[in-house]
Amino acid sequence: MPGLWSLRSFSLLAFLVAHAEISSPRSKNAHRCLRATEGHVSKNDIGTGSDFFGTVLADAADPRYAGGTPRDRGSGFGNDGGAAPGYGGYGGLGASRERYDIQGVVSDETPRGGARRITRSAGETRAEVLERRDASLETAQQPRAEFRRSGEDTRGGSGPHLDTSTFALSGDSAHNQAMVHRSGHNSSVILILTKLYDFNLGAVTESSLWRSVDYGSTYTKLNDKVGSRTVLSYLYVCPTNKRKIMMLSDPEVESAVLISSDEGASFEKHPISFYIQSLLFHPAQENWILAYSHDSKLYSSMDFGRKWMLVHDDVMPGRFYWAVMGLDREPDVVHIETRIAKGRARYVKCRAQRCAEANRQYLFPGHVDTNSLVVQDEYVFTQVTKSGRPSYYVSYMRESFEKMKLPKYCLPKDMHIISTDEKQVFAAVQEWNQNSTYSLYISDSPGVYFALSLENLRTSRGPTGNLLVDFYKVEGINGMYLANKIVDRHVKTFITYNKGQTWALLPAPDTDAAGNRCVLPFCSLHLHLEMSENPYTSGRISSKDSVPGIIVATGNIGPELSSSNLGMFITSDAGNSWRQIFKEEHNIWFLDNGGALLAVLHAPEPIRYLWISIDEGKKWNRHSFSLAPLFVDGVLMEPEAENHIITFFGHFSHRSEWQLIKIDYKDIFTRRCMDGDYQTWHLHNKGEPCVMGEKQIYMKRRPGNRCMLTQDYSRIYSSEPCLCRAYDFECDYGYERQPDSKCSPAFWFNSMIATQSCSTSQSFLNSTGYRKVLSNNCKEAGKNVFSPRRQACRLRPPQGLRLSTSQGELTAAVGTNVTFLVFLDDGDSLRTNIHLDFGDGIKITYSNLSRTNDGIKHVYRTTGIYRVTAYAENSRGSDSSSMFLHITSPLERVYLSAPMVAVRGKEANLTAVAWPDRSRTLTFFWWFQNSSEPVITLEGSVPHTFLTGGTNKVTVQVASGSGVVQDSKVITVTEFFKSLVLTFSPALDQHNPDIPEWREDVGRVLRTALSQVSGTPERQLQVALYPGLPTAAEVFILPDLHTHFQHSKKSFDALERISDALVNVLNQGLIQFELKADIRIVAHATQQTLAPLVDSNSFHSGSAMLMLLCVVFVGLAAFFIYKFKRKIPWVHAQAQDSHEKEPEVISTVGQNDSKSKVQISRFPSQNDLVDKELEARSRGGVGRHVERVITREFPNCTNV
């Protein structure tokens, strides 16, 4: 089931390998560390054609990646394949936040080129591996002295030189992973954690911690400070105070955290009782941390990991969030998604150190989908799926949740939040008719009403299955975005300058590399928009706030985007014109606050040259940074720092140690920039000077000037608002852009219905079909035909009244809160009364609709189906809406009451009784023998005619809500039978627990006793005990299936003889059994019956005719006596006596019938039967044993 994801397009991709968990990026100031392996440098697998920067070099606390690696571009609703969120969205609701994740690539799962590794031999224990590791460490070489040299400029004449130095991490050549942290803010400290990860063991077997205090010129090994036998697995850094560092030891050796407050100069160790899987640092408080454990528990620490307290268990991975400053009242608030059942979760809000049940808040009414909670900036998102269709909900500024409204027939299958910047939601939505593409939708400020911006965005899947949407925000230019759209099966790049209101193809250079002309729309520039999955590689497209208007990207010129013949392209005027700067793909970084560009060839082979440009890519100077070619695993830099230092990480061969090359490039500049070193440029869109409603002039350094930029110089020189035009407005919700660029109502949208803003004021803004693009700064002058018009709320009759539950369900459990929501499409909600009848005799009235915004709660105390009715009225009219709500209670069990023996071809009643008996909304499924389809009834009884002799199994299933219980019985079907009713010694009642198992056991004992004493084969006897007290039973005497033939007198006579024999032994008290020590139970006969078959067989035709005539004669006589019984008193008295002597016949009554049910206690006791029989004898009535012919279904008293 999909969940909700957030993909902050301008954050970084959570790239997971060690754990395929779903991570959701945090809000801008929150920082997450996941326990996978992001932030690792892994030695490249050379010779396989892998990317030059195909492995991860991560700063453990780079503020750009505070919580995620590149391409963690947002959040989404749902389970996106169990993977991390990519750049795209609602496959699972995840939050796009700058997280600090140590999660990333573990590449090279096998040793490279015979690299020395400590691996475990067959039969060798982990302890032996560690001992051998320690022995190897003792013989390791001491750190080598640094090697210094100057890089020469081999192109463009005798230019400035780069000062370089190389340091090798001796003794760590076998280590295949590294985690790097540079404190930044002009700090000279760099920390490197190298590890040997054994893929056979699935664990880290050895590690080394290195520290530099001179910007990477030299490094010191710190293993002795942390403990020579301590194996470190992860390095975390506080994003708000990078002097604070936390490291985790391998939990298989010891479970502890090592804490430093002085950039690794000293450490203190604290044991912990759980296995940390991910961390989340507070956005403002440097000592507050949330830790997620491997067993789905969330812990909090308020002293930077020294002490931990359990917050909540059953927490979904990546679905916990610190408070957003300025929105949540208390800074220690946490937002949590907790699992309550498969696919179902709850949104819980509490304080980190006070999260007991009494202190928890459940802000969303009812359950949500798992992996669907996102807390991002001003928004909280979640998802609820009903009947296979997801619905998405949003809370803006921590107000009540509202359902997100997309165009009516969008029918989303999946949704991903791309961005929530500038109080607006960008969402990638997969519509019902899309399979591999998504459409871009943009919301209003509250994130409720969405309008289409661009269809058929190209998407792909990341290494862990996460969704990646080709959509990119250009940094430094407000409202400028790039997107790859599929047009007639071709991928083309489009650009917008007005936040998605209009899109156009990207103009290409006048000619391509081969000199061919490129003319729109047949030919254009197409770019790869993937951001880097490695924090220290550049990715395929780059832009920076510090250099607005400059974009560097990998792409090609032609009719569509290609994966071959790629080159590097640059624009200096915000995408209006482009130049090709390289014919091969390069990784490019911005240096000196964006004043210079660094390029490194993107190739699998080793290199020794880099390229630097100070004139926006017009001229490139080549510099050598290493004597020998280096396999580069990554580049570490701080672009905004004053030190102008770059560090290259890599190795000369697979057998060599890690090489760290420090490059100081400050000599390429001669001085700091002065006022005369800058020039201005005008932002425009194909000559149109008004972009996002204003004319903007930017300032930048003159290309080619060798001066260093200052961090505080202003990039925007001037800004002047423009008058609003159609270009500054997008189509409002319910309106669609037409070919003439006008917005017209969609066929499903009723533009005459006023908005619900009348529920809170006396006037409302009536949409003209347009809404101003958010963050557009145009100035409205005079009458504007696009802006909404304020109108007075006139009294209108209520129309479109709708009633539903908060979850949209039509069932609820008895005794639970049911929240009803009332909606009014049109009408004056301030002056409209709302009446709600809950259907159980309770009614409630509200003076206006605004009082029902949070829902109306009600508790039903009994089960049943209730008609709930909402009624709205004012002086202009009224409207009503009803729904039928099923209130159910869990079923405990069901008992099937069925005859043990039935006559073939004759109808028999089957009754099911469910507990608890207050259930009234039950569905009964009756399965007969080998039937493929059940008989479905709403009543607990059903008649059935058995057409096949022998044993027939009947099963009844009773469904109530989502619960189903069942019971089964085996019924013997025959042509005829006789039966005797038995009573027992009173002592049996005292030990009768009245459960089916006990009755079956007693019946089995009776059957055996009757067979042994009378000599009747057990196959011809069936014994059934009645439920209830006093205890009674019925013995069924069946024909011998091996000898009898239909309607033969011999068969009747055989049953008579068996019946007489049984009565004889019962009257003599010979049928008895021992219930317990000293407690013997004696069975007695009270009644016998015969159930013959009647057909047209010639053997019986004469007797059958005689019997029929007798019945007719007796019927006429009975009618005559009944007609004249008042004139013949003695006849009336005799009829009364005869009635007393007739056995009681009980008809079947369903559990919902209005007829009273006959209790088993109404059966006569043994003493009553004896008294009645003596009285009948004194009157000369019938004999001791009453015998009657069964000509219809067997009475209900035989049901067991």
Side-chain angles (χ1 to χ4, degrees):
M1 162 178 54
L4 184 58
W5 278 113
S6 173
L7 293 77
R8 182 183 295 277
S9 52
F10 329 118
S11 198
L12 305 166
L13 171 66
F15 186 27
L16 303 180
V17 171
H19 299 277
E21 73 177 316
I22 293 181
S23 69
S24 62
R26 297 283 173 183
S27 59
K28 290 182 179 179
N29 298 320
H31 308 278
R32 166 180 297 283
C33 305
L34 293 188
R35 275 195 60 87
T37 51
E38 176 248 336
H40 292 131
V41 182
S42 302
K43 293 183 179 178
N44 279 313
D45 190 1
I46 306 303
T48 63
S50 61
D51 287 345
F52 169 71
F53 291 96
T55 53
V56 172
L57 168 66
D59 181 345
D62 189 308
R64 298 171 298 166
Y65 308 104
T69 50
R71 251 198 240 160
D72 188 351
R73 313 189 210 182
S75 330
F77 293 91
N79 306 324
D80 198 8
Y87 190 141
Y90 273 3
L93 184 70
S96 167
R97 352 164 225 208
E98 290 175 309
R99 304 163 308 167
Y100 170 45
D101 291 89
I102 302 283
Q103 56 184 14
V105 177
V106 181
S107 64
D108 296 349
E109 300 188 5
T110 58
R112 299 177 181 82
R116 297 189 302 275
R117 296 188 182 180
I118 304 297
T119 58
R120 184 172 66 176
S121 304
E124 187 177 22
T125 65
R126 179 174 170 81
E128 292 170 340
V129 173
L130 296 177
E131 290 178 5
R132 184 155 51 87
R133 178 208 64 179
D134 295 336
S136 66
L137 290 178
E138 293 176 359
T139 60
Q141 300 176 3
Q142 296 298 318
R144 302 174 185 173
E146 68 168 324
F147 174 78
R148 305 184 63 87
R149 65 182 299 276
S150 295
E152 73 277 12
D153 184 354
T154 62
R155 183 172 179 174
S158 57
H161 296 280
L162 301 181
D163 185 19
T164 67
S165 63
T166 302
F167 191 91
L169 302 183
S170 300
D172 289 350
S173 61
H175 292 189
N176 53 9
Q177 294 178 355
M179 305 175 74
V180 185
H181 161 61
R182 186 171 186 172
S183 292
H185 304 296
N186 296 315
S187 171
S188 61
V189 175
I190 299 177
L191 288 174
I192 301 177
L193 173 63
T194 65
K195 306 180 295 182
L196 173 59
Y197 185 86
D198 191 314
F199 289 90
N200 295 320
L201 294 174
V204 178
T205 57
E206 61 180 74
S207 64
S208 296
L209 181 64
W210 300 81
R211 185 172 185 261
S212 173
V213 295
D214 53 8
Y215 296 104
S217 295
T218 60
Y219 290 84
T220 304
K221 205 169 191 176
L222 303 182
N223 282 28
D224 292 338
K225 288 189 176 183
V226 299
S228 59
R229 296 185 61 84
T230 299
V231 178
L232 300 175
S233 57
Y234 294 96
L235 169 67
Y236 300 148
V237 180
C238 176
T240 55
N241 182 359
K242 293 189 177 182
R243 293 179 57 85
K244 290 191 171 183
I245 298 166
M246 177 183 293
M247 292 190 297
L248 301 183
S249 63
D250 192 324
E252 294 191 21
V253 179
E254 61 175 337
S255 187
V257 295
L258 290 88
I259 299 170
S260 174
S261 299
D262 51 12
E263 297 180 294
S266 62
F267 288 90
E268 52 182 286
K269 184 182 293 186
H270 297 273
I272 57 176
S273 59
F274 58 96
Y275 173 22
I276 294 178
Q277 186 168 323
S278 64
L279 293 180
L280 178 63
F281 290 92
H282 193 276
Q285 299 293 330
E286 62 186 47
N287 290 328
W288 294 4
I289 308 174
L290 294 176
Y292 185 74
S293 69
H294 68 290
D295 55 354
S296 303
K297 293 181 179 179
L298 185 66
Y299 296 84
S300 65
S301 174
M302 301 308 212
D303 54 6
F304 202 72
R306 291 170 176 83
K307 297 178 183 178
W308 296 91
M309 176 181 291
L310 178 65
V311 180
H312 207 296
D313 53 10
D314 292 323
V315 177
M316 295 301 298
R319 303 296 174 170
F320 48 93
Y321 309 81
W322 277 114
V324 177
M325 308 308 294
L327 291 173
D328 294 294
R329 293 182 179 179
E330 296 85 10
D332 62 341
V333 162
V334 291
H335 304 264
I336 309 170
E337 179 187 302
T338 63
R339 183 191 294 107
I340 57 176
K342 184 178 181 181
R344 300 177 66 180
R346 290 295 301 270
Y347 167 29
V348 180
K349 178 182 176 182
C350 62
R351 303 182 71 173
Q353 299 277 304
R354 290 185 289 175
C355 200
E357 181 62 39
N359 300 323
R360 297 171 184 169
Q361 293 178 276
Y362 299 94
L363 301 181
F364 188 85
H367 70 270
V368 301
D369 293 353
T370 53
N371 295 306
S372 72
L373 176 66
V374 165
V375 180
Q376 181 170 304
D377 299 330
E378 297 85 2
Y379 302 91
V380 179
F381 301 96
T382 193
Q383 169 185 325
V384 178
T385 299
K386 299 293 181 185
S387 302
R389 291 179 60 176
S391 297
Y392 306 103
Y393 295 85
V394 61
S395 168
Y396 178 64
M397 303 296 289
R398 302 303 186 266
E399 297 294 331
S400 299
F401 280 89
E402 291 191 62
K403 187 174 181 180
M404 300 167 67
K405 296 183 179 179
L406 295 158
K408 187 173 183 180
Y409 295 106
C410 165
L411 303 178
K413 298 188 296 185
D414 190 20
M415 179 184 288
H416 289 260
I417 299 296
I418 296 178
S419 167
T420 55
D421 288 348
E422 301 171 346
K423 296 185 178 181
Q424 186 175 31
V425 180
F426 278 59
V429 179
Q430 187 173 51
E431 303 180 21
W432 67 273
N433 57 349
Q434 293 177 317
N435 294 319
S436 60
T437 61
Y438 283 68
S439 295
L440 178 67
Y441 283 85
I442 304 177
S443 78
D444 56 356
S445 282
V448 175
Y449 293 95
F450 285 78
L452 178 65
S453 174
L454 187 66
E455 291 182 298
N456 296 323
L457 288 177
R458 179 203 186 200
T459 63
S460 59
R461 291 286 172 179
T464 54
N466 49 287
L467 182 72
L468 306 178
V469 179
D470 278 12
F471 182 79
Y472 179 80
K473 178 186 179 182
V474 177
E475 301 296 334
I477 304 295
N478 182 32
M480 183 175 175
Y481 297 86
L482 296 167
N484 282 332
K485 176 182 177 180
I486 298 179
V487 181
D488 297 328
R489 299 185 179 180
H490 296 288
V491 179
K492 299 176 181 289
T493 301
F494 287 77
I495 188 171
T496 178
Y497 291 90
N498 52 8
K499 219 171 185 179
Q501 199 270 73
T502 57
W503 295 85
L505 288 169
L506 201 61
D510 292 336
T511 59
D512 59 17
N516 301 316
R517 289 186 58 80
C518 184
V519 180
L520 288 172
F522 309 103
C523 175
S524 59
L525 178 62
H526 309 286
L527 304 178
H528 288 274
L529 304 181
E530 298 94 340
M531 294 179 67
S532 176
E533 295 172 351
N534 180 340
Y536 289 95
T537 62
S538 65
R540 292 180 133 182
I541 183 167
S542 297
S543 61
K544 289 187 69 65
D545 283 326
S546 58
V547 280
I550 295 182
I551 309 170
V552 185
T554 302
N556 65 280
I557 300 173
E560 64 176 327
L561 182 66
S562 173
S563 298
S564 59
N565 300 322
L566 298 177
M568 302 303 299
F569 297 85
I570 189 171
T571 177
S572 301
D573 57 2
N576 285 280
S577 62
W578 293 80
R579 292 178 286 110
Q580 186 168 356
I581 54 177
F582 290 107
K583 293 184 179 180
E584 296 177 284
E585 188 171 359
H586 283 64
N587 287 274
I588 297 181
W589 292 266
F590 292 93
L591 304 179
D592 184 42
N593 298 296
L597 297 173
L598 167 68
V600 178
L601 181 65
H602 186 100
E605 61 268 7
I607 60 172
R608 57 187 296 260
Y609 296 107
L610 57 82
W611 304 80
I612 293 180
S613 173
I614 58 173
D615 59 359
E616 299 176 350
K618 295 182 177 69
K619 179 181 177 181
W620 293 87
N621 293 316
R622 189 178 72 170
H623 300 269
S624 172
F625 64 88
S626 175
L627 285 176
L630 180 76
F631 291 109
V632 179
D633 296 315
V635 178
L636 176 66
M637 69 175 65
E638 189 179 358
E640 286 78 23
E642 299 290 337
N643 50 51
H644 299 89
I645 290 175
I646 310 169
T647 303
F648 274 52
F649 293 80
H651 51 285
F652 294 126
S653 70
H654 294 305
R655 300 176 184 272
S656 68
E657 292 87 359
W658 291 92
Q659 305 294 323
L660 297 115
I661 301 178
K662 172 188 172 183
I663 303 172
D664 191 336
Y665 63 90
K666 66 177 178 294
D667 287 345
I668 66 174
F669 305 109
T670 59
R671 56 185 171 81
R672 289 191 177 274
C673 293
M674 308 296 290
D675 289 345
D677 293 311
Y678 297 100
Q679 70 179 34
T680 59
W681 66 278
H682 295 253
L683 175 65
H684 65 94
N685 174 13
K686 300 174 185 176
E688 170 56 54
C690 289
V691 176
M692 289 296 287
E694 55 187 345
K695 299 177 181 179
Q696 301 177 68
I697 302 176
Y698 288 87
M699 186 170 62
K700 65 180 179 180
R701 188 185 62 187
R702 294 182 183 276
N705 283 10
R706 292 184 178 273
C707 64
M708 290 182 290
L709 293 174
T710 59
Q711 293 187 22
D712 56 352
Y713 89 93
S714 175
R715 272 71 176 176
I716 300 179
Y717 182 75
S718 67
S719 177
E720 178 186 351
C722 303
L723 293 179
C724 292
R725 299 168 301 169
Y727 185 77
D728 301 306
F729 293 83
E730 61 190 4
C731 290
D732 204 350
Y733 173 77
Y735 290 80
E736 296 176 347
R737 183 78 60 180
Q738 302 300 318
D740 59 359
S741 297
K742 293 183 179 180
C743 296
S744 300
F747 76 94
W748 51 266
F749 183 69
N750 185 358
S751 59
M752 301 302 295
I753 295 179
T755 65
Q756 289 196 0
S757 57
C758 278
S759 62
T760 56
S761 63
Q762 297 296 324
S763 63
F764 70 98
L765 290 174
N766 190 17
S767 176
T768 60
Y770 300 84
R771 66 185 184 194
K772 190 175 180 181
V773 174
L774 285 179
S775 70
N776 185 294
N777 296 315
C778 71
K779 182 174 65 175
E780 300 183 32
K783 184 177 180 181
N784 194 310
V785 297
F786 301 106
S787 298
R789 301 180 181 87
R790 184 162 293 279
Q791 297 182 1
C793 291
R794 299 177 181 177
L795 184 61
R796 303 181 308 278
Q799 295 180 5
L801 184 67
R802 292 177 286 119
L803 175 66
S804 70
T805 61
S806 60
Q807 295 294 317
E809 294 182 338
L810 298 176
T811 181
V814 67
T816 60
N817 257 323
V818 182
T819 302
F820 293 96
L821 302 178
V822 181
F823 303 94
L824 187 63
D825 289 339
D826 188 26
D828 191 341
S829 56
L830 277 179
R831 289 173 285 182
T832 299
N833 295 328
I834 302 295
H835 309 276
L836 190 60
D837 184 349
F838 296 107
D840 60 351
I842 299 178
K843 302 179 181 179
I844 193 170
T845 300
Y846 291 90
S847 59
N848 59 67
L849 188 63
S850 63
R851 293 178 172 269
T852 68
N853 287 342
D854 294 330
I856 305 169
K857 293 181 171 56
H858 185 65
V859 177
Y860 290 89
R861 300 299 180 186
T862 58
T863 59
I865 303 177
Y866 296 88
R867 182 189 182 111
V868 185
T869 303
Y871 182 77
E873 64 172 349
N874 58 28
S875 59
R876 299 296 300 274
S878 63
D879 195 9
S880 64
S881 177
S882 297
M883 64 176 294
F884 296 92
L885 185 66
H886 292 236
I887 301 298
T888 63
S889 62
L891 287 175
E892 297 177 6
R893 58 194 175 99
V894 62
Y895 178 77
L896 175 58
S897 177
M900 179 171 281
V901 181
V903 177
R904 188 171 70 88
K906 298 296 183 180
E907 194 175 78
N909 274 352
L910 308 174
T911 302
V913 181
W915 282 270
D917 59 3
R918 63 182 181 177
S919 298
R920 292 294 182 271
T921 55
L922 306 179
T923 304
F924 297 84
F925 300 85
W926 305 86
W927 301 85
F928 297 98
Q929 198 63 6
N930 297 322
S931 58
S932 59
E933 295 292 335
V935 175
I936 303 175
T937 66
L938 298 179
E939 297 293 337
S941 62
V942 63
H944 182 71
T945 301
F946 294 93
L947 302 177
T948 304
T951 58
N952 287 260
K953 185 177 181 179
V954 179
T955 299
V956 62
Q957 292 180 321
V958 186
S960 177
S962 59
V964 177
V965 294
Q966 73 175 34
D967 190 19
S968 299
K969 286 290 187 297
V970 176
I971 300 174
T972 301
V973 179
T974 184
E975 302 292 343
F976 52 88
F977 64 88
K978 293 196 68 173
S979 69
L980 299 172
V981 177
L982 308 183
T983 58
F984 301 93
S985 303
L988 186 61
D989 295 343
Q990 301 173 12
H991 298 85
N992 184 352
D994 199 20
I995 59 175
E997 295 89 340
W998 183 88
R999 292 192 290 270
E1000 290 175 5
D1001 286 339
V1002 173
R1004 176 176 46 79
V1005 171
L1006 279 174
R1007 180 185 177 188
T1008 302
L1010 288 168
S1011 175
Q1012 291 177 351
V1013 175
S1014 67
T1016 305
E1018 283 195 27
R1019 64 175 179 272
Q1020 290 187 250
L1021 298 177
Q1022 296 283 357
V1023 179
L1025 269 72
Y1026 299 137
L1029 297 175
T1031 307
E1034 188 163 6
V1035 179
F1036 297 93
I1037 309 169
L1038 309 178
D1040 190 346
L1041 299 179
H1042 299 288
T1043 60
H1044 90 282
F1045 54 92
Q1046 292 184 349
H1047 287 203
S1048 69
K1049 186 146 185 347
K1050 185 176 180 181
S1051 297
F1052 283 109
D1053 294 341
L1055 293 187
E1056 289 288 352
R1057 289 194 298 271
I1058 294 174
S1059 176
D1060 292 341
L1062 292 178
V1063 170
N1064 184 46
V1065 296
L1066 287 166
N1067 289 339
Q1068 297 179 36
L1070 300 179
I1071 305 302
Q1072 53 184 276
F1073 59 93
E1074 187 176 85
L1075 188 65
K1076 286 186 177 181
D1078 301 329
I1079 299 179
R1080 296 195 65 82
I1081 304 300
V1082 180
H1084 305 278
T1086 61
Q1087 176 181 329
Q1088 60 178 339
T1089 60
L1090 176 65
L1093 252 194
V1094 178
D1095 62 12
S1096 58
N1097 188 293
S1098 60
F1099 183 81
H1100 298 289
S1101 58
S1103 58
M1105 183 61 68
L1106 180 60
M1107 182 180 295
L1108 178 61
L1109 292 175
C1110 292
V1111 170
V1112 172
F1113 175 77
V1114 172
L1116 291 174
F1119 173 77
F1120 176 79
I1121 294 173
Y1122 174 77
K1123 188 72 174 175
F1124 300 100
K1125 64 180 178 180
R1126 293 186 179 181
K1127 300 179 181 181
I1128 313 174
W1130 66 268
V1131 173
H1132 176 66
Q1134 186 64 31
Q1136 285 184 332
D1137 293 341
S1138 299
H1139 177 70
E1140 291 179 354
K1141 295 188 284 288
E1142 280 291 319
E1144 185 173 19
V1145 178
I1146 307 170
S1147 62
T1148 300
V1149 182
Q1151 68 172 5
N1152 294 327
D1153 290 351
S1154 60
K1155 300 178 183 179
S1156 60
K1157 298 179 175 58
V1158 178
Q1159 304 295 325
I1160 193 65
S1161 58
R1162 293 187 56 185
F1163 282 99
S1165 66
Q1166 183 177 3
N1167 293 334
D1168 293 336
L1169 291 171
V1170 172
D1171 292 341
K1172 287 187 177 182
E1173 188 169 15
L1174 291 175
E1175 183 179 358
R1177 286 183 178 182
S1178 64
R1179 294 183 181 181
V1182 296
R1184 177 171 181 174
H1185 305 298
V1186 181
E1187 182 176 306
R1188 57 192 175 94
V1189 175
I1190 303 299
T1191 58
R1192 56 180 175 82
E1193 68 178 13
F1194 200 75
N1196 192 58
C1197 63
T1198 63
N1199 292 357
V1200 293

